[in-house]
Amino acid sequence: MKILIYTPSFYPRVGGLETINYLIAQGLSKYFNITVITPVLDEDNEHEYSFKIIRTTKTSSLIKEYIKCDLFVHSVLSLKGVLPALLFLKKWIVIHHTCYFRVWDQNETKVSRLKKFFSHFAHNICVSDAVGKSMGLKRYSVIHNSYDNSLFKNYGSENRKDFVFVGRLVTEKGVDFLINAYLKYLSLSDIKQNLFIIGDGPMKKDCQKIVSNKKLENQVIFKGQLKGRALVDELNKHKCLVVPSVYKEAFGIVALEGLATGCQVIGSDGDGISEAIGTCGLLFKKEDIDSLTKRMLEMDNTSSLNQERVNEHLKMFTPDFMVQKYVDYFKSWERK
């Protein structure tokens, strides 16, 4: 079966979505004839792929590949990618990686309404049940995202302490909200664990200003952006990873990475983060400082992870497990 995957996000861009798109295409290429078409260019062209990849912004190229495919897959619904399906209908699947058709903190637009309309004609896969419910989809299947289990490991570090945040320093990720909750935690805690912030973004200066004004530079430490083994080594030092997102997260790969590296995890409720954490962490009420502060105080007296439970939980979120779910899903289409 020939599968055409259209995605507006792919390597060499770096991010969770780009990584998931690659893992899906790479895994499916062992079972199907896969072509990926994306507007993301790669001038260096250093990476080798086990599937055909076409980097173009030309609609004519997309239509040409669409005509040849048996199954058309959107990884993130794009109106430009919808055009071929309007010409003549084929088996069409959309993978939804967000909880919104619109920008999360803005109102509905013509574009978001059109995306929602077209989703009714597609077979939808959501990366969490929270995505399907948030987008109001009437029919969808859930295939959770995976984390990189070859990289994120628990080295059995002893004497873990302190809180850690990992992510972009932007409003929706709630880093300023976390700092304010941490200030309240400090006023109530006898232990007073430190807070480490890993990442970069437009809110970094504002966050540093809050810390500076409170003279807490020794308690709130900005580590900058860390990747790969450096990130894993840093996470292995800490006791608790906090995921304080103030918007609806589609899933919570960072929560899985925290669990995999031996961190306790605290996450905001009401979205895909809770599906990633399962019974292996604590949830707080989204955007409720008192609720988060309470959870942080609980960490002062919480022992180490139930490693057996965590290991069992993480088995469901490996790349192999995720790819097999996609393979089974697409093979079911061969029989239709």
Side-chain angles (χ1 to χ4, degrees):
M1 182 165 63
K2 294 181 179 179
I3 299 177
L4 174 64
I5 301 175
Y6 177 84
T7 177
S9 299
F10 207 77
Y11 285 160
R13 289 181 184 171
V14 177
L17 177 58
E18 289 77 10
T19 299
I20 290 297
N21 279 333
Y22 171 75
L23 289 173
I24 292 171
Q26 181 80 359
L28 291 177
S29 67
K30 298 175 183 178
Y31 303 88
F32 307 105
N33 185 335
I34 300 294
T35 297
V36 172
I37 189 163
T38 178
V40 180
L41 302 180
D42 183 8
E43 295 179 357
D44 295 332
N45 197 28
E46 295 179 347
H47 197 93
E48 293 186 4
Y49 301 95
S50 61
F51 48 87
K52 181 180 179 182
I53 182 165
I54 301 171
R55 299 179 183 273
T56 181
T57 57
K58 294 181 179 179
T59 302
S60 58
S61 297
L62 175 59
I63 293 174
K64 180 181 177 181
E65 295 301 320
Y66 178 79
I67 291 172
K68 294 187 291 185
C69 78
D70 299 307
L71 192 64
F72 185 36
V73 179
H74 267 195
S75 189
V76 180
L77 185 56
S78 163
L79 290 187
K80 181 174 181 178
V82 168
L83 181 59
L86 299 180
L87 300 178
F88 53 98
L89 191 61
K90 286 194 175 188
K91 295 174 182 176
W92 179 29
I93 295 167
V94 176
I95 305 173
H96 298 279
H97 297 271
T98 70
C99 286
Y100 306 89
F101 285 112
R102 55 179 171 80
V103 178
W104 74 277
D105 60 347
Q106 296 181 20
N107 295 325
E108 295 282 353
T109 64
K110 289 182 179 179
V111 170
S112 66
R113 292 190 186 97
L114 281 171
K115 286 183 177 181
K116 187 170 185 178
F117 173 76
F118 286 127
S119 71
H120 295 307
F121 300 94
H123 296 269
N124 299 288
I125 297 175
C126 299
V127 299
S128 69
D129 191 43
V131 169
K133 291 178 178 177
S134 296
M135 301 182 97
L137 299 175
K138 294 182 179 179
R139 53 178 184 171
Y140 60 89
S141 299
V142 175
I143 301 180
H144 290 119
N145 284 338
S146 69
Y147 77 102
D148 186 349
N149 63 334
S150 67
L151 177 62
F152 290 89
K153 297 180 182 295
N154 180 359
Y155 299 129
S157 309
E158 297 181 356
N159 302 318
R160 287 176 177 267
K161 59 181 181 178
D162 302 329
F163 300 100
V164 61
F165 166 91
V166 180
R168 291 178 293 122
L169 305 190
V170 291
T171 303
E172 59 265 38
K173 294 298 182 181
V175 62
D176 55 335
F177 167 77
L178 170 59
I179 291 173
N180 286 319
Y182 177 71
L183 294 177
K184 191 165 187 177
Y185 158 84
L186 284 180
S187 70
L188 299 172
S189 172
D190 294 327
I191 296 178
K192 302 186 188 309
Q193 300 185 73
N194 293 331
L195 171 62
F196 286 73
I197 296 175
I198 300 173
D200 204 350
M203 290 198 67
K204 184 174 183 178
K205 289 185 178 180
D206 290 339
C207 291
Q208 288 177 322
K209 187 175 181 179
I210 295 172
V211 172
S212 178
N213 288 341
K214 297 293 184 179
K215 302 186 186 305
L216 292 175
E217 292 90 340
N218 292 329
Q219 284 78 40
V220 182
I221 298 93
F222 291 84
K223 298 291 293 185
Q225 193 171 48
L226 298 177
K227 297 179 182 179
R229 182 59 188 265
L231 174 59
V232 174
D233 289 346
E234 185 66 30
L235 287 175
N236 266 269
K237 298 176 183 177
H238 301 298
K239 182 177 183 179
C240 178
L241 171 78
V242 184
V243 189
S245 301
V246 299
Y247 80 138
K248 289 185 178 180
E249 290 274 11
F251 194 54
I253 294 176
V254 68
L256 297 177
E257 293 170 348
L259 290 171
T261 50
C263 296
Q264 303 275 359
V265 176
I266 299 173
S268 57
D269 68 359
D271 55 25
I273 293 172
S274 62
E275 292 178 51
I277 293 175
T279 61
C280 297
L282 299 175
L283 297 174
F284 70 92
K285 187 176 180 180
K286 195 177 290 291
E287 295 190 79
D288 187 324
I289 283 183
D290 290 338
S291 180
L292 175 54
T293 302
K294 180 182 178 180
R295 290 306 196 190
M296 295 175 78
L297 288 168
E298 288 179 34
M299 281 296 149
D300 282 351
N301 301 306
T302 301
S303 58
S304 59
L305 283 173
N306 183 328
Q307 198 61 55
E308 184 176 347
R309 178 191 293 176
V310 169
N311 291 343
E312 195 64 28
H313 177 70
L314 291 175
K315 287 179 182 178
M316 298 183 294
F317 303 102
T318 65
D320 287 345
F321 190 92
M322 177 191 71
V323 167
Q324 189 58 53
K325 287 284 188 180
Y326 277 103
V327 169
D328 293 343
Y329 183 89
F330 290 127
K331 279 189 173 181
S332 70
W333 282 93
E334 286 186 313
R335 299 188 289 270
K336 294 181 180 180

